[in-house]
Amino acid sequence: MRHIALSALFGLTILGAAAQPAADIAQLAQRLEGTIYVIPHRESADGSLTACGLEFGALKRDFTTMKGAPVKLVGSFYLRPHSVTGLAYMLKVGIFDGLGYTNGFAPANAFIRGPNSRAPKKAIRQEAENNGFALFVGALDDEVIAAYAGIAEKKQLVVGFNRKPGQQDVLFNLDLTVIDTEMGSDGQPIRKRTNAAVDEFLACSDDLMKTPSSKIK
């Protein structure tokens, strides 16, 4: 996760945030709202491909559960071979209230879906090795395939979470073309866009699905 790399972006904003009135913080959060970064990852062991993933960070104002207060989503979406299903997805999510990397917590539930599709069947929740994160492991069903199609065709992925069981979903629509974000001299975020992250993830996934351990059982 890119906590250190992004500290320059959020660290500068939070230094002055405490001294600013709520209206100014809301305006700052509005400017920063959106996808902050997306990074593709290809993992291997003993020369064999073992996983393909996208790591991401995004910020939005949470009008669903926090009356418009800023909240950050930090996480990853991976495809990995599984001993039972042959191929599974793993969604790792951490939630941070405010503009800095403090007050983090692991959500009660989290899910992925395509821009115009439903969420998959509820995944198995596990504690992640990072404090403030949770890991959700699920089989590839039709809705996961639809989410994969959304990545390929629209370069978008929706990630949702619940702060508490039964609470309304908070949704992030990730723009997977945003590979990084910097603060401009005028205080406006500059988002660097390219299809490279999506292209690398799709190429990796294609290679992964050809491996014997990824065959759906």
Side-chain angles (χ1 to χ4, degrees), residues 40-44 49-53 78 199-208:
H41 279 275
R42 177 186 290 250
E43 294 183 4
S44 61
L49 183 62
T50 57
C52 303
Y78 274 82
D199 291 345
E200 168 58 24
F201 174 73
L202 295 177
C204 181
S205 300
D206 185 56
D207 292 340
L208 182 67

Side-chain angles (χ1 to χ4, degrees), residues 48-122:
S48 298
L49 183 62
T50 57
C52 303
L54 293 168
E55 296 194 355
F56 50 79
L59 183 141
K60 72 176 296 180
R61 291 171 296 161
D62 179 6
F63 289 99
T64 305
T65 58
M66 295 293 287
K67 299 181 179 179
V71 57
K72 290 192 306 300
L73 171 77
V74 179
S76 62
F77 170 68
Y78 274 82
L79 297 178
R80 298 179 184 274
H82 191 276
S83 59
V84 177
T85 63
L87 194 63
Y89 77 89
M90 297 184 181
L91 176 67
K92 183 178 178 181
V93 173
I95 308 302
F96 297 81
D97 286 321
L99 296 178
Y101 282 107
T102 57
N103 303 319
F105 66 93
N109 183 44
F111 57 88
I112 53 98
R113 67 169 174 80
N116 300 310
S117 61
R118 297 178 300 177
K121 294 180 180 178
K122 193 170 184 179

Side-chain angles (χ1 to χ4, degrees), residues 154-166:
K154 298 185 178 181
K155 298 175 176 56
Q156 296 178 14
L157 179 67
V158 176
V159 178
F161 73 89
N162 301 114
R163 293 174 179 273
K164 299 178 181 178

